[in-house]
Amino acid sequence: QVQLVESGGGLAQAGGSLRLSCAASGSIVSIVAMGWYRQYPGKQRELVATINSGGGRNYADSVKGRFTISRDNALNTVYLQMNSLKPEDTAVYYCNLRGYTDYVSWDDYWGQGTQVTVSS
């Protein structure tokens, strides 16, 4: 099993910053990528940012230039630095790990979600 523990969500003012952290533990053989997704009420979960095993990063257009994803491979931890926050960034943010717990196939694992609220 894989466990993802998120922290760092909360309330910020528009223009402010928050930093999310997600620590992975469990029977992880290999990580393909880690990332962050967010979900608005009544909407599907959407990609915010991902970082793969080679360090390649991918961002949603709406967060480019404002959010930065990083990863500590030794700690199996991924971070999301969110700057210049906007009210439309208000959502539940979920950590994702795509990886192998065996040598056959990969799976997606999700954290419990952390609320980010940005006031105008």
Side-chain angles (χ1 to χ4, degrees):
Q1 290 293 336
V2 175
Q3 296 80 40
L4 300 176
V5 178
E6 301 153 342
S7 60
L11 178 65
Q13 290 189 333
S17 299
L18 285 173
R19 188 189 194 213
L20 305 183
S21 299
C22 173
S25 62
S27 53
I28 304 165
V29 172
S30 175
I31 296 175
V32 175
M34 295 185 74
W36 293 92
Y37 291 69
R38 64 188 178 189
Q39 190 167 19
Y40 300 105
K43 301 291 186 181
Q44 287 194 330
R45 205 168 291 184
E46 64 180 39
L47 180 145
V48 176
T50 61
I51 182 167
N52 63 30
S53 58
R57 295 168 171 82
N58 183 42
Y59 295 95
D61 288 343
S62 59
V63 307
K64 283 180 181 177
R66 300 188 299 120
F67 291 9
T68 301
I69 190 169
S70 61
R71 180 175 155 185
D72 187 325
N73 291 330
L75 297 178
N76 281 345
T77 299
V78 65
Y79 306 95
L80 186 69
Q81 179 66 43
M82 303 185 293
N83 298 330
S84 301
L85 283 163
K86 302 176 181 180
E88 51 263 44
D89 294 319
T90 296
V92 178
Y93 285 70
Y94 293 90
C95 176
N96 169 265
L97 182 151
R98 176 166 292 182
Y100 293 80
T101 57
D102 55 28
Y103 294 95
V104 177
S105 60
W106 55 262
D107 283 303
D108 278 315
Y109 302 91
W110 296 93
Q112 78 281 3
T114 186
Q115 176 70 45
V116 170
T117 302
V118 183
S119 62
S120 56

